[in-house]
Amino acid sequence: MDKSTLAVDGGVKTIDGFEGRGDPKIGHEEFLEMADTWGYSPDTIDKIRAAIVDEELDGGPFLIRYKSESKVAKMEHEASQLLDVKNVLAVSNGTAALHTAYVAADINEGDEVIVPGYTFMATAMAAVVARGIPIWCDIDESMTIDPTELEKHITPHTKAIAPVHMNGYVCNMDAVMKIAREHNLRVIEDCAQACGVSFRGRRAGTIGDLGCFSISSYKTTGGGEGGLVISNDDTLFARAQQWAEGGGLWRPDRCAAARWDGELFPGLNYRLSELEGSVDLIQIRKVDSQLQRWRANKRRILGALPVYYELSPQVVHDIDGEMGHNIGFFPESTADSDRVVAALRAEGVGCHTRGQNAVGDWHAYHSMQPIIDKMPATSDGWPWNHPHADEIEYSLDACPRTADLVDRQVRVSIDQWWTERDCKQVVTALTKVFDALYTRDPSHENWLSAVAQSG
């Protein structure tokens, strides 16, 4: 046959293969670098190298979730089962989760979002980036948003409430949801510090319209950076997908026309990588067991600890649903907080307080200068140049109870791996210090009974 005949017309194919063959883009050395990141010794890494050097990787790993057997997709599925929620979207971090949820809930120019005065600044910052305006609300002795204060902050501009399950303590979600539904407001739960906790049998994040999680190295669950957006509302979830994956890779037919009005709009890219998805898949599987260990140890300690007149235990809305990795209480003054923390630390108890000499902290509203000073990200001034933004004053005394409680609170850390003997040692140390400084209150059988009644 004439070699000039085109292959498309039945001629001989010109190229039947290539001799050149290189290494895959991502191969053994990248894997070994991760082994170093994990902290394995050089000798161990050499053994790993010897074991894998002859392994053929073909094209190497594809470290993005849009592939068969994706670790991210598997993690989303297992998180859905863990949290008992219909839809889970993995994103790059907790702040991205908040931003995505605010956009999904249609927070836009001048919409007000009620935020507790005690949270990490991301809860408020993400609202600003969505062009909304955060409105501070006081907390109560649970260190979560005070439902009795909520209605005082609702205006015609209010669009959403963002309750925060701070430090693993759940908000009073029954009260929050009742107010939200009466006023037709969206509820966006910030569960960044509360992965897996529950309120009266329902997992945090599934009670409101949207739930946001941080699953990162700074949190009890997660490694590297990572976040989750969850919802049982398909419409809200579709908006979250479009915002967090504006490239449309999540759609059945990526570049097809919109399947319904409002499905498509310009979005961003907050995808989680397969590397972090691989770690977080395992982390999600550990959630319930670690919660069980923390709660068991907290009950061991509280069940043996007396109550004292001068110390107010932190209110717990659901003793069975909280994370349980710390014990919170309030001395009568910040000076007393400093004194008891110093005494407890001397006994070997891990604990913390802001106390008398509290420094700036982006977990307390009065320290969040980018919000307090209405700092815009761009020169157009949004959202602070919205017509009604001038009416909003971010005074340092806007949430007096928050300012007081945040400084007075003492938190005693609990290790999930403590044995029964370890817990007894902690009880002995706590009782030793408390008996020296305070007066026992015999009206409560123990600290556990006082806390169980407080919620």
Side-chain angles (χ1 to χ4, degrees), residues 368-376 384 394 396:
M368 301 180 194
Q369 291 306 125
I371 308 297
I372 295 290
D373 292 343
K374 298 183 178 180
M375 297 177 179
W384 309 117
Y394 290 123
L396 297 181

Side-chain angles (χ1 to χ4, degrees), residues 5-27:
T5 302
L6 296 178
V8 72
D9 293 328
V12 177
K13 182 179 179 181
T14 304
I15 299 174
D16 58 7
F18 294 95
E19 293 180 349
R21 184 179 180 186
D23 294 329
K25 179 182 179 182
I26 299 172

Side-chain angles (χ1 to χ4, degrees), residues 125-206:
M125 282 196 304
V128 172
V129 173
R131 298 182 300 166
I133 298 174
I135 303 296
W136 301 124
C137 180
D138 236 334
I139 62 171
D140 58 25
E141 283 74 10
S142 69
M143 300 304 285
T144 66
I145 199 164
D146 184 352
T148 65
E149 292 290 312
L150 263 177
E151 287 194 278
K152 299 177 184 178
H153 297 287
I154 295 174
T155 74
H157 301 288
T158 307
K159 191 78 161 281
I161 304 169
V164 181
H165 305 291
M166 198 67 178
N167 288 321
Y169 291 90
V170 290
C171 304
N172 183 348
M173 289 304 297
D174 282 349
V176 170
M177 294 305 296
K178 182 176 184 294
I179 293 168
R181 295 304 176 239
E182 287 174 353
H183 294 272
N184 195 30
L185 302 176
R186 293 292 193 189
V187 175
I188 299 163
E189 295 181 70
D190 185 336
C191 313
Q193 299 183 6
C195 185
V197 305
S198 59
F199 177 75
R200 297 177 183 171
R202 298 178 65 186
R203 297 278 191 174
T206 70

Side-chain angles (χ1 to χ4, degrees), residues 37 69 193 399:
T37 299
E69 301 301 317
Q193 299 183 6
C399 300

Side-chain angles (χ1 to χ4, degrees), residues 97-115:
L98 283 164
H99 189 197
T100 298
Y102 287 141
V103 173
D106 195 32
I107 303 302
N108 58 63
E109 294 182 2
D111 287 338
E112 294 177 0
V113 180
I114 300 177
V115 176

Side-chain angles (χ1 to χ4, degrees), residues 64 68 73 142 157 199 203 250 253 259 263 294 320 324 348 392 395 416 428 432 435 448:
I64 199 166
S68 60
S142 69
H157 301 288
F199 177 75
R203 297 278 191 174
W250 59 277
D253 185 350
R259 293 172 291 173
E263 182 200 14
W294 272 316
D320 297 318
I392 298 169
S395 64
Q416 62 176 307
T428 300
K432 177 182 178 182
D435 279 345
L448 179 61

